[in-house]
Every structure is written in C-alpha cells, then in structure tokens.
Amino acid sequence: MAQADGATRTVIMTVDDDPGVSRAVARDLRRRYGASYRIVRAESGESALQALRELKLRGDLVAVILADYRMPQMNGIEFLEQAMDVYPGARRVLLTAYADTDAAIDAINVVDLDHYLLKPWDPPEEKLYPVLDDLLGAWRAGDHRPVPSTKVVGHRWSARSSEVREFLARNQVPYRWYSAEEPEGRRLLSAAGQAGERLPVVITADGTPLVEPEAPELAARVGLATTPAADFYDLVVIGGGPAGLGAAVYGASEGLRTVLVERSATGGQAGQSSRIENYLGFPDGVSGGQLTERARRQASKFGAEILTAREVTGLEASGAARIVRFSDGSSIAAHSVILATGVSYRQLAAPGTDDLTGCGVFYGSALTEAAACQDHDVYIVGGANSAGQAAMFLSRGAKSVTLLVRGRSLTASMSHYLIRQIEETPNIRVRCGTVVESAHGDGHLERLTLRDEHGSTELVDAQWLFVFIGAAPHTDWLDGTVLRDERGFILAGPDLTPDGRPPAGWELDRPPYHLETSVPGVFVAGDARAESAKRVASAVGEGAMAVMLVHRYLEQS
C-alpha cells in the first residue's frame, strides 16, 4: 500500500518490500527533502505502479524513484522498466546488496538506470544525499513544468474530441490536449486503464478518468455549477449570450434572485468571435471569450447563479409562477423569465459536410482549432461580420484564407472596417458568387468542390472549412407556449399587437411591454427576438432593458 506525505509537492518515491527498510528510507528522505518534496513510499512494485498512475492522472510530478532490487513478484528492475512508461523523465535509482551489483550494472542498459546504491547507505549524509542532490539537480534542469489539471486525450480528427475541447475552452476550464497517437497520450490512457477504443478520455483534476463524457457529466466533474441552489427565483434567464449575461448582471445587481441557465457555454455566438472591434469602450478590440468571461465574473460578483450544461425543454405559466423544465425532468420556478436563447449557424446543405463536421468542417470560429491551421489553406463560408472576424484571426497563422461569399460583394452584410482590413491583408482572398458544392474526405476533410455563379465547378485541396451562414433561433421548445414568427423568432411588444389589440389569450388589462412575449412575465432579449439588430451591443442593451421591464411587471403583479 502506497503512503504519502504532503499533497502538492513534486514526488520522490521509494519502493521496498521490507517494511522496516521502507520506513528507514522514507525517514531519511523526509529528513533531508521533506520540506520541498512529497515522499511517497510503497511496499511492492504493483502498489508503486498504481500510485504512479494515480499521480500521473492528477498531473503531479515525480522527480526520483528509488526501488529495491530483491522484491517478490516484481523485482526492482522490472518495476523501473514499467515505471519508465508512466514517468519517463523521473530519475531512477536501484537499491542493491553487494551480491547484486552485476544485476545493477546490467540494469543501466535495460532501464537507463541513473544510479545504484548499496545497502546499507549509512551514513546518508555521505552515501545517499549527495547522490540524490545530483539527481534532483539534473531533474530540475529539464523542462518539468506542471500541466493544467484537466487533460483530454483523443484523436486529432474526431468530432467528439473537438466538441469536448470547445466546451472546456469556452467555459474557461484550463486543460491540456494529448493525441492518442503520441507517447504521452498513450501513457495517460494506460494510467486510466483505457486501451483507446473509446475516445475522448477526460482526466479531471482529482485523477478521475471520464470516457466519452456528455456535457452535463463533464461540467459537473470540472467544477461548473449544474444544479440550482433553490427551487424558486425572482428571475430565470435562459441563455448565456450577451443578452442573457447582460440580464443576469442587471438583475442580480438590482437585488433580484437571479439564475442564468446555459445549455453549453456562456457567450453564445459572440463568445466564439476572435475579435470584436466595434463594441463601445474597447477601441483596440476584445475577443468574444474575454468579453464573455468578464461578464460572467461580473454576474457572479453580484450574486447571480450560472448553471451550465442544462438544457431547457419547456416553459409554462402556473398562476403567478413561471415554471422552467429541464431535459432531465427537473424544474425550477420564478416570478419572471427572460428568453435569451440566441441563434445558431445554419447547417451547410452540401453533400459530405454532415459526415465531416468536427473533422475539418466547423460551425463558428472553433478557436481551439486555430493553432492547428498554422501554414495551411483555410476556407470560410459566409459574408457577415463573424466570418470576417474569423478570417482576420486565422490569417495570422494560416498560409491562406479564402472567404466564400454567396452574394456579389461584402458590402451588404459586413461592417466597413472589416472589409477594409480584409482588403489590406495579403493572404486573405474573397471569392464572391461562390458556394460549397460538396465536401470530400476519408475520416477528415481533404477536398472541396466549389461552384461559382456561372455554374462552373472547381475541386480544391482543403483541410479546414469554417461555416458562418445565416442564423436559426433556439426556440423550437417554445412551440405552443409563446408566439413566434414564421422563421421561429419570438414576437414581443408592438410586434404582438400590430392592430393595437392584445394577443389571443392575453388576460391583463394592459398591452404587453416592449420586450414582453405573449405570456405575461416572460420577456425576450437579443438575437432570438423578431426584428432584433443582431449585434452584441444591442443584445446587451436589450438584456438590461428586459430587467427594467421585469421590475415593472413585478411591481404591478
């Protein structure tokens, strides 16, 4: 059984099957190194390997391993050979009797042994400490920086691996990516007891391996809040984009018991933007991730709860309460609700793209993939600001970026400042009147067939395609609850009463407030609202305005 001293320091491990010797070695090690290193001792090779695997999963560092040669079941050389697979950078020391020196010398070649020590090692000041001082100095001279606590092991061209990485990145969870084909990835899979058939494997901060985790499990295990603290609130905000975050900040700061519910990650489409340069107060621009994280911290500071990876599937009015139902069958209730569900990019209707989504075809910026685009040719579909921002961001490292625009120019859909920047960037090319006819590849994107406005087609080599086409609102779950237009956008305020009469079923003696839906006390803000401006600034403003109207509703209820 392995025993440890301390919790967070770099480890020195000692392995000996004789309990008396094991305690003596650990005692001498603690006396000299206990203040700076964590001393772990084990009394068998198998228990030591198990301890090493647990340390590996937690991301702990191991500097030196001392193993006794004569151990039953697994001798010291056999143990160190397997320990190399877990911690190849650790310095290895074999403890031997005088009669075993030949075996120790042979082990120098077998396990790349750094040193062997003859027992007894008394006095340690002469025979043990000088050797370990040198080995620890050599170990520290190498690059053994601790890695972020969460680790993801997966395949490079895997849609599920890409989704997990994007989920963690957008939720500001630090992690490190390991390819299952690389040595360190294989070591982590082995330590987690996985052969690699089911990927990705996420290893959490406490060393727990999660195999192909779904978002709710992943969120709960990496420390994101997924369970509401109460059953009833003043305000439930559904959606964590700019409108939802704005509503959460203003609701909580003005004393409302507020909970924000997000099905994936806060920020919405804006959170995926590599650079927003026309948002008030940021003359040098700000990334969507930075803006989102600041807003999230601000909402939390004022006391708003933020629930992640919770999918809302229903909304109903029950007297004065508005009940929000989740996909797992649970629910919460509130006096009022703000719908800030936002929109998502429409799917590209081209043969081959569905099968290659996440394997070279991405919707939105997918900023976690940007580093892999270095020196590659990148294609982007779309002609609005989000596509232009992605083109500028990816052009910093990509060999070339080609914008594929269905229309005849960018002027109708993209801000002037972005058009100017694109024109001044030499490795960005704009192809107007061009669409993706089909995508091709075996396991990942390899080629695209492009079609121009004259019907001519061209086959181009491509490993990366980022899609920004149109927007569809996340409102199907509201069918039969609130009124929506023919495209699914939520109607509110004056759009509900074009002839001055309240909508059918409206029971109050006042018309709906400006952002109020056909259900009293349920408001809408941001891109999901019919005729909204589809800009970050307007979404934040509508979130704040919706809270003002919530106050008015609560005062008159």
Side-chain angles (χ1 to χ4, degrees):
M1 185 68 167
Q3 297 179 11
D5 174 28
T8 60
R9 290 163 291 174
T10 297
V11 168
I12 297 175
M13 172 176 276
T14 174
V15 190
D16 197 304
D17 67 303
D18 185 323
V21 174
S22 176
R23 286 193 293 270
V25 176
R27 179 199 63 219
D28 287 344
L29 292 175
R30 289 192 183 99
R31 184 186 306 161
R32 173 82 167 205
Y33 305 106
S36 302
Y37 293 87
R38 179 185 173 197
I39 310 303
V40 174
R41 71 178 180 91
E43 296 181 1
S44 72
E46 189 55 50
S47 66
L49 285 173
Q50 180 60 34
L52 286 175
R53 294 187 185 104
E54 293 173 0
L55 292 168
K56 185 74 171 182
L57 292 176
R58 289 201 299 266
D60 293 343
L61 301 176
V62 177
V64 176
I65 303 173
L66 300 92
D68 183 58
Y69 173 62
R70 287 183 177 268
M71 294 189 295
Q73 285 84 46
M74 181 187 300
N75 67 37
I77 296 175
E78 293 168 338
F79 161 71
L80 288 173
E81 190 171 12
Q82 294 191 47
M84 283 176 63
D85 293 333
V86 185
Y87 280 98
R91 304 295 169 170
R92 291 171 287 280
V93 179
L94 194 67
L95 298 177
T96 71
Y98 182 79
D100 299 321
T101 53
D102 288 343
I105 293 171
D106 290 340
I108 293 175
N109 296 321
V110 175
V111 295
D112 194 20
L113 195 67
D114 293 289
H115 203 90
Y116 69 88
L117 287 172
L118 293 176
K119 298 189 293 185
W121 57 88
D122 290 330
E125 288 79 8
E126 295 180 12
K127 297 184 178 180
L128 178 63
Y129 298 154
V131 171
L132 287 186
D133 287 346
D134 288 343
L135 292 177
L136 289 169
W139 181 86
R140 287 193 298 268
D143 184 8
H144 299 291
R145 292 168 295 180
V147 300
S149 54
T150 300
K151 307 172 187 67
V152 181
V153 185
H155 286 306
R156 176 68 199 85
W157 298 111
S158 161
R160 187 70 191 115
S161 295
S162 178
E163 290 171 4
V164 165
R165 295 173 65 192
E166 194 76 5
F167 178 86
L168 293 173
R170 293 189 60 201
N171 279 292
Q172 305 295 317
V173 177
Y175 73 94
R176 182 155 182 182
W177 162 258
Y178 298 88
S179 170
E181 289 80 20
E182 296 175 353
E184 188 65 12
R186 292 195 294 269
R187 291 188 192 102
L188 286 169
L189 289 176
S190 176
Q194 298 296 319
E197 290 89 355
R198 297 175 59 200
L199 294 173
V201 172
V202 177
I203 300 164
T204 63
D206 62 1
T208 302
L210 309 176
V211 182
E212 296 180 318
E214 295 298 328
E217 179 190 16
L218 182 57
R221 293 300 188 96
V222 298
L224 300 174
T226 60
T227 304
D231 296 325
F232 197 91
Y233 294 84
D234 293 320
L235 171 63
V236 175
V237 180
I238 303 175
L245 287 168
V249 167
Y250 281 92
S253 67
E254 294 176 12
L256 297 178
R257 292 170 297 166
T258 302
V259 59
L260 183 151
V261 182
E262 168 56 47
R263 65 173 185 166
S264 178
T266 51
Q269 281 191 342
Q272 295 177 284
S273 295
S274 54
R275 202 75 179 164
I276 302 170
E277 296 193 64
N278 58 351
Y279 189 71
L280 185 67
F282 292 90
D284 298 320
V286 62
S287 75
Q290 291 170 327
L291 189 63
T292 295
E293 177 57 16
R294 291 178 183 182
R296 183 187 178 108
R297 291 204 318 266
Q298 197 171 13
S300 298
K301 182 188 78 171
F302 286 121
E305 286 182 47
I306 299 179
L307 306 182
T308 306
R310 294 303 300 266
E311 184 173 4
V312 177
T313 57
L315 172 65
E316 61 185 71
S318 179
R322 302 294 175 259
I323 299 173
V324 175
R325 302 198 180 279
F326 299 117
S327 58
D328 63 359
S330 62
S331 64
I332 55 176
H335 291 300
S336 59
V337 172
I338 294 177
L339 302 171
T341 52
V343 297
S344 62
Y345 294 110
R346 297 186 186 279
Q347 302 294 294
L348 192 62
T353 54
D354 286 348
D355 293 337
L356 296 172
T357 298
C359 303
V361 176
F362 302 94
Y363 289 86
S365 292
L367 298 182
T368 53
E369 305 296 332
C373 297
Q374 189 82 19
D375 298 324
H376 288 189
D377 296 314
V378 176
Y379 288 81
I380 296 174
V381 178
N385 278 7
S386 53
Q389 290 160 355
M392 290 300 303
F393 178 73
L394 293 170
S395 69
R396 300 173 190 172
K399 178 182 177 182
S400 71
V401 176
T402 303
L403 265 174
L404 305 174
V405 183
R406 180 184 292 272
R408 295 194 172 186
S409 74
L410 294 172
T411 56
S413 54
M414 189 178 292
S415 296
H416 176 70
Y417 80 91
L418 263 179
I419 296 175
R420 188 177 67 252
Q421 289 179 357
I422 287 170
E423 291 173 345
E424 295 172 352
T425 305
N427 63 335
I428 297 181
R429 178 188 179 194
V430 180
R431 294 183 57 167
C432 294
T434 304
V435 298
V436 174
E437 179 85 354
S438 56
H440 320 274
D442 183 12
H444 63 86
L445 179 65
E446 297 171 354
R447 292 173 299 279
L448 293 172
T449 298
L450 307 181
R451 175 170 52 83
D452 65 21
E453 57 188 335
H454 305 295
S456 300
T457 60
E458 177 186 359
L459 186 66
V460 297
D461 293 331
Q463 285 187 301
W464 305 95
L465 178 68
F466 297 91
V467 182
F468 303 82
I469 52 169
H474 296 301
T475 60
D476 290 346
W477 61 279
L478 289 166
D479 189 30
T481 302
V482 300
L483 293 179
R484 301 177 296 153
D485 66 14
E486 65 280 0
R487 295 182 299 162
F489 290 93
I490 299 170
L491 297 170
D495 294 325
L496 284 168
T497 59
D499 56 2
R501 292 183 298 177
W506 187 263
E507 299 177 353
L508 302 182
D509 59 359
R510 62 163 176 82
Y513 294 133
H514 182 67
L515 297 177
E516 196 169 19
T517 70
S518 57
V519 177
V522 177
F523 299 81
V524 61
D527 291 358
R529 183 177 68 84
E531 306 302 326
S532 63
K534 307 297 188 289
R535 288 290 185 269
V536 175
S538 62
V540 173
E542 287 191 6
M545 182 187 296
V547 170
M548 180 191 72
L549 298 172
V550 164
H551 277 291
R552 187 179 300 176
Y553 167 77
L554 294 177
E555 290 167 358
Q556 297 182 2
S557 296

